[in-house]
Amino acid sequence: MKISCLRQVLLLCLCTAPLVAQDATTAPRLLNKDGHFEMTVDGKPFLMLGAQINNSSSWASTLPHVWPALEAMHVDTAEAPVYWEQMEPEPGKFDFSGVDLLVNGAREHKMRLVILWFGTWKNGQNHYVPEWVKSDPKKYPREIGPYGKVLDVMSPNSATNLEADKHAFAALMKHVHEIDAAQHTVIMIQVENESGSVGAVRDYSDAANKEFAGQVPGSLTSALHVRGGTWAQVFGADADERFAAYSTAKYISDVAVAGKAEHQIPMYCNVWITYPVHALENRDHASPGQEYPSGGAQQGNIAIWKAAAPGIDALAPDFYSGDSTLFREVLTAYHRQDNPVFIPETGLGRTVGRYFFYALGQGAIGFAPFGVDFTDWTIHGQTIPYGMDENFALFAPMQSEIAKLNFEGKLQTAVEEKGAARQTLHFGDVDAVVSFGFPQKDGEVPPGTTEVEGRAMVAQLGPYEFLVTGFDASVSFVLGAPKDGKTQEKQLEILRAEEGQYANDSWQTTRIWNGDQTDRGLQFKEHNKDVIRIRLHTLPLYERSK
């Protein structure tokens, strides 16, 4: 009898123990070296060429329309939601069938997977919390507006809300560990979605008001290098929004930490950013809680989030605008010594290809347009719009090399803008001159293009060796002006320009470029598929007489 009981105990332990221990050396990691970031998967650098599917596409009925679209875009990483309401239909009773569908589908189609946890927040509201949470606001409190209205937003100042989300998220991560600790199909987790409050600048419940009237936590004032006091004393007119930011960040960090205790992989928060208001509206900024979810990691809240959410590895802006100047400003705001550039959502408009190159030039670890599936919700028909498939097809064979070069600070990009038909990238004593359009005569100014879609990437492999590609652009190399102010006495000459690609971490040459392909720069057409590895050398600019 005792032996039988012992066998049952041993069997129970075997069934409940993780299937395999997580290998810290090969598990997905996010590395930081002097503000340069690198994602590693299976111990190798990894660039996420991603695409996010539509919100309601993670179902058995719709996934057959998802994978063909992702393959058509040449993505290496799918971003797909897991819904709290579907995963935990009753308290403590979990259904992981949806998770398994995503993981198995990604494996079948040879992709990595980023799971989007649609828990407490989705677009600043509680769209995906289970019915048993929604129907019991007394136990699971909502935010209260300034005039007493009950909002469809869960309060971040509620311990019961937090514990419910932590419990569900930890269960999700435990399951991911059990099915994926060895294979690393799931490489990253998005914790919540565009968090914050839509409907009020903060929670005005009695519990939240009591916290707001108290002192700002010393850990936060210390991190921000400001004097202590109440929220109103420390933050003045912005106190309500900053209080919401701290409450939301701390809540989500606690959820992330609970998940990481079960499975240790990078986690990020995507952000509904603050867009500028129209010039005719006679105000200088958008309204928190109305035009964006108050308390999210918007541009003005980044520092608070970095201090209050140590469990979150990256704050990642979603971007939906055709304003390329604003896009560059957003990249600058989120590209910090403690935060990588990652664009987890953007539109499928004409600017998306240029945005990819801009992000890459800022060291991005990943980039993902939104709504990529053939459910006829965002893409009509079976064709990927605006050539994003060409961008990813070009970079997919060398994504690991590109990630490594970016981590080492050796990669730069040039993107065409109106009125700037030529740009110069500086690599030590060598300048890469990028011209948009195809100037055919020596000495002429490059014409630019009417569509303003030119873009180029140049990465330095050695002192006079570069990896070059792009679209609707030509790239030439010259020696920069001497730093001592003297006249340049040397010039560059092409030794060899190899067309090819990387295969199994090794460069494979397919042919040599020369003549028409190199006379006035390396010329990349509108629908380019070529990558060039070019070697240069120096020789005297003038032959001096003795």
Side-chain angles (χ1 to χ4, degrees):
M1 186 68 177
K2 291 182 178 178
I3 295 175
S4 177
C5 290
L6 180 60
R7 285 176 177 170
Q8 290 182 15
V9 171
L10 290 173
L11 181 61
L12 179 62
C13 291
L14 288 172
C15 291
T16 57
L19 295 180
V20 66
Q22 192 173 11
D23 186 346
T25 62
T26 60
R29 293 192 297 165
L30 190 58
L31 306 179
N32 181 0
K33 182 176 67 176
D34 301 325
H36 294 283
F37 291 85
E38 180 181 80
M39 186 81 176
T40 65
V41 180
D42 293 333
K44 293 178 58 178
F46 186 82
L47 174 64
M48 284 183 277
L49 305 175
Q52 185 172 152
I53 69 176
N54 280 294
N55 293 164
S56 299
S57 294
S58 283
W59 295 93
S61 61
T62 46
L63 282 172
H65 304 288
V66 165
W67 305 113
L70 299 179
E71 289 180 323
M73 191 177 272
H74 304 282
V75 308
D76 60 28
T77 306
E79 295 181 5
V82 168
Y83 317 115
W84 186 5
E85 62 180 351
Q86 184 271 335
M87 195 191 79
E88 192 180 10
E90 298 180 47
K93 294 184 179 180
F94 295 103
D95 176 4
F96 297 115
S97 60
V99 181
D100 294 341
L101 276 174
L102 293 174
V103 173
N104 292 332
R107 288 174 182 167
E108 180 183 347
H109 295 277
K110 296 180 174 56
M111 298 177 191
R112 305 289 180 168
L113 177 66
V114 173
I115 288 179
L116 318 177
W117 172 236
F118 283 11
T120 296
W121 284 277
K122 169 67 175 75
N123 294 6
Q125 294 176 288
N126 64 353
H127 294 306
Y128 289 93
V129 301
E131 289 185 22
W132 52 268
V133 172
K134 287 182 180 177
S135 60
D136 193 356
K138 186 174 182 180
K139 183 175 181 180
Y140 303 104
R142 310 290 186 85
E143 281 198 6
I144 306 300
Y147 305 107
K149 182 179 180 179
V150 178
L151 305 178
D152 54 352
V153 183
M154 308 307 295
S155 172
N157 304 99
S158 163
T160 53
N161 290 348
L162 174 60
E163 288 306 311
D165 197 328
K166 282 172 59 178
H167 184 252
F169 187 67
L172 167 64
M173 296 309 296
K174 180 179 180 181
H175 183 71
V176 170
H177 185 88
E178 290 171 346
I179 65 173
D180 197 49
Q183 292 182 261
H184 310 144
T185 303
V186 181
I187 62 172
M188 209 171 190
I189 304 291
Q190 177 184 291
V191 190
E192 315 297 346
N193 182 275
E194 293 184 349
S195 57
S197 171
V198 170
V201 68
R202 68 170 176 88
D203 183 9
Y204 289 87
S205 66
D206 290 343
N209 284 339
K210 184 178 179 180
E211 287 187 43
F212 181 76
Q215 299 286 300
V216 177
S219 59
L220 181 60
T221 56
S222 176
L224 298 181
H225 306 291
V226 296
R227 296 181 65 180
T230 65
W231 288 91
Q233 289 170 340
V234 174
F235 294 104
D238 295 322
D240 290 323
E241 184 179 2
R242 304 301 180 242
F243 174 75
Y246 177 80
S247 302
T248 306
K250 188 175 184 304
Y251 182 113
I252 292 177
S253 183
D254 287 349
V255 172
V257 169
K260 286 183 175 181
E262 300 292 340
H263 189 59
Q264 184 73 237
I265 59 175
M267 298 188 182
Y268 74 96
C269 285
N270 69 324
V271 185
W272 179 336
I273 64 169
T274 303
Y275 292 92
V277 296
H278 195 278
L280 299 179
E281 293 187 26
N282 198 29
R283 54 197 176 107
D284 59 2
H285 63 275
S287 300
Q290 302 301 320
E291 290 158 305
Y292 61 90
S294 180
Q298 287 84 21
Q299 295 94 309
N301 293 332
I302 294 175
I304 288 178
W305 269 75
K306 280 297 178 181
I312 296 300
D313 301 288
L315 304 177
D318 298 342
F319 192 85
Y320 292 93
S321 170
D323 187 340
S324 62
T325 299
L326 177 61
F327 183 68
R328 283 175 281 163
E329 292 173 355
V330 169
L331 288 178
T332 299
Y334 286 88
H335 186 190
R336 296 165 37 119
Q337 289 289 317
D338 59 359
N339 197 71
V341 170
F342 175 34
I343 305 298
E345 275 190 50
T346 190
L348 283 166
R350 296 202 67 90
T351 52
V352 67
R354 297 166 62 237
Y355 287 173
F356 171 67
F357 273 73
Y358 269 132
L360 200 63
Q362 286 287 323
I365 63 169
F367 187 93
F370 172 78
V372 182
D373 55 46
F374 291 148
T375 60
D376 205 38
W377 187 256
T378 47
I379 295 176
H380 304 292
Q382 304 286 304
T383 302
I384 302 299
Y386 301 119
M388 194 59 207
D389 53 331
E390 294 182 330
N391 281 275
F392 283 4
L394 185 64
F395 281 88
M398 56 178 179
Q399 59 85 8
S400 183
E401 286 77 15
I402 294 299
K404 182 176 184 293
L405 288 165
N406 235 338
F407 187 49
E408 295 171 347
K410 296 179 179 179
L411 184 149
Q412 298 184 52
T413 60
V415 181
E416 184 176 10
E417 293 287 349
K418 289 182 179 179
R422 175 171 283 166
Q423 296 178 29
T424 300
L425 307 176
H426 303 289
F427 296 89
D429 64 338
V430 178
D431 288 348
V433 181
V434 182
S435 302
F436 299 110
F438 292 94
Q440 293 299 309
K441 294 181 180 179
D442 290 337
E444 285 193 353
V445 175
T449 65
T450 56
E451 299 296 332
V452 198
E453 293 183 357
R455 51 209 189 271
M457 181 219 74
V458 182
Q460 189 165 25
L461 305 177
Y464 295 106
E465 187 172 2
F466 297 85
L467 191 69
V468 192
T469 192
F471 297 91
D472 219 351
S474 62
V475 183
S476 301
F477 292 89
V478 297
L479 286 171
K483 293 182 180 180
D484 57 9
K486 295 181 179 179
T487 303
Q488 181 61 264
E489 295 186 352
K490 295 182 180 180
Q491 59 183 318
L492 283 178
E493 181 181 62
I494 297 173
L495 281 179
R496 187 177 177 92
E498 302 174 352
E499 177 189 310
Q501 252 313 347
Y502 284 94
N504 299 320
D505 302 324
S506 177
W507 174 259
Q508 306 294 321
T509 302
T510 55
R511 66 169 177 166
I512 305 298
W513 271 22
N514 215 325
D516 290 343
Q517 286 77 41
T518 62
D519 278 350
R520 296 169 181 86
L522 307 175
Q523 298 191 17
F524 301 100
K525 298 180 180 179
E526 180 182 0
H527 301 291
N528 175 53
K529 298 180 181 179
D530 301 327
V531 180
I532 304 301
R533 184 167 178 160
I534 186 169
R535 286 191 292 117
L536 311 165
H537 76 139
T538 62
L539 68 163
L541 183 59
Y542 300 103
E543 181 64 36
R544 302 295 183 185
S545 59
K546 295 181 181 180

